[in-house]
Amino acid sequence: MKRHIELPSDAQDVIDQAVNHIDRRLLSDADTATVVQETLVDLFGERQVYEQYRAGRELPPMTRVRLRSYNPKNAFIEAEHWAEQEYEEIQEAKYLQYLWRGFDLSPLSNNVAFALPFRQMLANHLFADAGDGLRLFGGIKIQCGHNIEMGDNTVVHNDVLLDDRGELVIGDRVSIADRAHIHTHGHDVVDQSDVTTYRTVIEDDVRLGYDAMVNAGCRIGENAMVGTSAMVRGDVPAHHIAVGSPAEGVKVKPGWESVADDPGALTDRRSSRELDRELDNDVAFFDEFDRNLAPSNGH
């Protein structure tokens, strides 16, 4: 159980005004990258020096780099290199993802009363679909953002990885504990640059325990629970509790025995959720490791 608390009304009003102001700017015809830049400038208390920069005042080189880097057009993110992503879509998502990560480094991210509605607002703009009543805590790493669907009243705790390089679908009332990892892509064991993307599904009312890992292409069934540090490599049936590495179903939640399958090994259906993504012919590919993958013939 949790205690219901409220801020003083004047403090809540200021928070509502600030979040609504940024929301309206993101909904407007204003350049999104500029909105992100100015929001980050204010989050880090640099409005005065930013106005000096805009006025053409002479500033130290490091200060100019820092102020320019608040604008996501002047920065790279990892997802821009991924050839299976539509370039135009990842560019659009990049600006909001940049703000998401920048906000997490700001002092205001420690004020949960501001941070939760701020991230809800960002999710509304960034995710493919964002439900109501989301509680998204600090340090959540989002790979792309625009490939996430999330239902109502879901909570994602601190330092969680939401890998949406493929497609990530999370239902209603899901609880994801700290440091959980949910994946939607995998690498070939020989050629690491060969990436396969999947649709990973977390159904309604699921609980993922601390440090749990869900592999790409898995489905966690309705009302199921994945234990602490479990590694899921198959589908967890509805109402099951799965633990271990690799995870197995060890029991059915009390009261659900009559509608659940018997516990045991998880069925691996990941290949059925592999995504067919064609790469653009004009993409220039490269191996960042510059490896020779030919067999060595034992020498």
Side-chain angles (χ1 to χ4, degrees), residues 76 81 89-90 97 142 167 171 181 229 237 245 252 270:
F76 286 134
H81 296 289
E89 292 181 358
I90 199 65
Q97 189 197 127
I142 293 169
E167 295 178 359
H181 285 198
S229 298
S245 180
V252 175
R270 287 176 288 176

Side-chain angles (χ1 to χ4, degrees), residues 92-285:
E92 184 176 345
K94 164 187 174 177
Y95 301 156
L96 297 172
Q97 189 197 127
Y98 198 76
L99 178 54
W100 183 290
R101 295 193 182 190
F103 172 69
D104 270 354
L105 298 173
S106 73
L108 263 178
S109 68
N110 295 314
N111 181 355
V112 174
F114 182 87
L116 293 185
F118 185 86
R119 293 195 191 97
Q120 169 79 68
M121 179 272 295
L122 274 187
N124 293 342
H125 291 278
L126 176 58
F127 293 179
D129 189 18
D132 297 326
L134 300 180
R135 288 177 290 157
L136 307 171
F137 286 89
I140 299 170
K141 183 177 181 182
I142 293 169
Q143 300 288 65
C144 298
H146 65 292
N147 298 318
I148 295 175
E149 299 176 24
M150 188 175 291
D152 297 333
N153 299 313
T154 283
V155 56
V156 183
H157 287 97
N158 296 286
D159 303 320
V160 168
L161 171 64
L162 299 179
D163 161 30
D164 67 317
R165 192 166 174 175
E167 295 178 359
L168 178 56
V169 180
I170 299 174
D172 299 334
R173 301 172 302 277
V174 172
S175 177
I176 301 174
D178 301 65
R179 293 184 59 183
H181 285 198
I182 307 175
H183 294 271
T184 65
H185 82 280
H187 297 262
D188 184 81
V189 295
V190 175
D191 183 359
Q192 188 173 337
S193 64
D194 183 2
V195 172
T196 302
T197 56
Y198 298 83
R199 180 180 177 87
T200 302
V201 180
I202 313 295
E203 294 190 352
D204 295 347
D205 299 303
V206 164
R207 290 170 60 192
L208 298 183
Y210 179 90
D211 199 37
M213 186 178 79
V214 178
N215 273 271
C218 293
R219 176 185 291 270
I220 312 299
E222 178 185 4
N223 191 39
M225 181 175 178
V226 176
T228 296
S229 298
M231 184 181 70
V232 179
R233 297 174 59 184
D235 289 0
V236 179
H239 317 301
H240 276 223
I241 298 173
V243 301
S245 180
E248 292 191 357
V250 294
K251 65 182 298 184
V252 175
K253 281 188 172 181
W256 298 93
E257 293 86 353
S258 64
V259 294
D261 298 327
D262 292 333
L266 305 183
T267 303
D268 190 345
R269 299 187 179 93
R270 287 176 288 176
S271 61
S272 68
R273 301 186 192 102
E274 183 177 327
L275 300 177
D276 183 15
R277 289 183 170 173
E278 295 184 2
L279 303 181
D280 293 335
N281 292 327
D282 59 349
V283 173
F285 300 103

